[in-house]
Amino acid sequence: MNNSKIIRIGFLIFPGFPMACLTSIIEPFRAANEIADRAVFDWHVLSETGARIVSSARVVFEPDGSMADADGLDMLFVLGAPTSAFEDPRHGHGALRRLDRHGVILGAISGGVFPLVRAGVMEGHSCSVHWCYEAAFRTAFPDIRMTDDVITRDRRRYTVSGAASAFDLALQLIEDRLGPDMAHEVACWFQHPTMRGDGVRQRIPMSPGAGPDLPDLVAHAAALFADHIEHPISVADVARIVDVTPRQVERAFKKATGQSPTHYYRGMRMKAARQLVLYSKQNMQSIAQAVGYTSPTPLVAHYRDAFGVSPQEDRKRINSFRVQGNVPLPPA
């Protein structure tokens, strides 16, 4: 890319988008411009129609324009929630595909990957998906390659898992254009301790007292549990695969997490169930089957134990924050 050319970046925001993701990626560009003492990056916040948008933090944003103003961009990032969708899907999806044909780099931050995939521009590409959306994404888009990396740059598709990784992507783009010294100085401005690049996996927060890293035995067993959400695996089978006794698995989990492996595994399945409750339109029978239950009855009981509400109550609660024209999203 011509180093004298200003890089024009668009941010397409949907109602309920995470505000932190937008500020996290814009602020490094602003700092880079200040340090370079010239306009290297230029950004524009867009909405589908140009109408103002309320973020998930209930802060109102007045966009610079609409999708009709996206011509001339070098990159466009989508920011939204898993339930975000164009008011006019035919026009919105067509606009993204047209930008793709013109060579624009398309990307998404956090839940924005859902509307990006719905536009039909991610076939044959990999994308980063925030760990809290993995089950919902896998169910909605089984044919799209999903990674648990913080950043995935696959040809002209740049996707990041969350706000912190959006900052990291901005540093990468600054380094691409202005070199590593500039990226390092920008990181120092914000006291950003680590510049994460491609191939760095997300770190899923552990329960209090579990420590930052799991012992190898527990990590291996947890990975097996994660691979068997829909078709559960027994602790005995896990022990056989990792070549230890079930008692050793029990002791290792209790020491590392404060939980039995069975309780830990159920917690993983409940988190997956909650993703589907909050971010999909599936009914309870389908959700139960997706997380390894033959019927909704035990799912509802375990869900209530985990979160203090039933799945139906949880969906009703979240819908109360998503009403558009008296239509809840997703439908209960």
Side-chain angles (χ1 to χ4, degrees), residues 47-228:
S47 68
E48 180 179 358
T49 64
R52 70 178 192 167
I53 297 293
V54 181
S55 71
S56 60
R58 294 181 289 179
V59 176
V60 178
F61 283 74
E62 295 285 350
D64 301 309
S66 69
M67 283 293 290
D69 301 302
D71 290 339
L73 294 177
D74 298 297
M75 305 177 187
L76 178 71
F77 292 93
V78 180
L79 294 90
T83 53
S84 296
F86 286 102
E87 295 177 22
D88 182 349
R90 181 177 178 182
H91 181 269
H93 295 171
L96 289 178
R97 291 194 291 268
R98 178 174 57 80
L99 291 172
D100 178 38
R101 290 194 299 272
H102 284 79
V104 175
I105 292 171
L106 299 178
I109 303 173
S110 191
V113 71
F114 284 75
L116 184 67
V117 173
R118 292 190 190 106
V121 296
M122 288 301 296
E123 283 83 355
H125 293 81
S126 298
C127 58
S128 292
V129 178
H130 193 291
W131 61 266
C132 75
Y133 299 143
E134 284 182 359
F137 187 91
R138 188 179 294 109
T139 300
F141 312 114
D143 297 327
I144 301 297
R145 294 197 301 270
M146 176 182 69
T147 79
D148 60 359
D149 293 346
V150 296
I151 299 171
T152 299
R153 293 205 286 182
D154 186 354
R155 291 158 287 168
R156 289 189 294 106
R157 299 293 182 272
Y158 296 177
T159 53
V160 296
S161 57
S165 50
F167 194 104
D168 291 316
L169 175 62
L171 292 177
Q172 284 194 18
L173 297 175
I174 291 167
E175 181 173 344
D176 290 346
R177 182 61 186 271
L178 298 173
D181 290 343
M182 175 65 79
H184 181 263
E185 186 169 353
V186 171
C188 289
W189 267 38
F190 295 94
Q191 298 186 20
H192 193 67
T194 304
M195 294 170 56
R196 299 176 299 176
D198 299 325
V200 178
R201 298 179 64 183
Q202 300 174 52
R203 295 182 65 129
I204 301 175
M206 301 303 299
S207 58
D213 297 297
L214 292 175
D216 289 345
L217 170 57
V218 178
H220 192 177
L224 289 169
F225 288 150
D227 288 338
H228 291 81

Side-chain angles (χ1 to χ4, degrees), residues 135 139 225-234 265-266 268-274 276 282-300 302:
T139 300
F225 288 150
D227 288 338
H228 291 81
I229 297 295
E230 184 175 358
H231 303 290
I233 188 172
S234 70
Y265 189 17
R266 181 184 297 172
M268 295 176 72
R269 293 165 67 193
M270 288 305 99
K271 289 173 183 176
R274 197 175 202 195
L276 298 175
Q282 295 191 60
N283 59 35
M284 291 306 128
Q285 178 65 44
S286 297
I287 291 173
Q289 292 175 347
V291 296
Y293 292 87
T294 56
S295 77
T297 302
L299 166 67
V300 171
H302 291 160

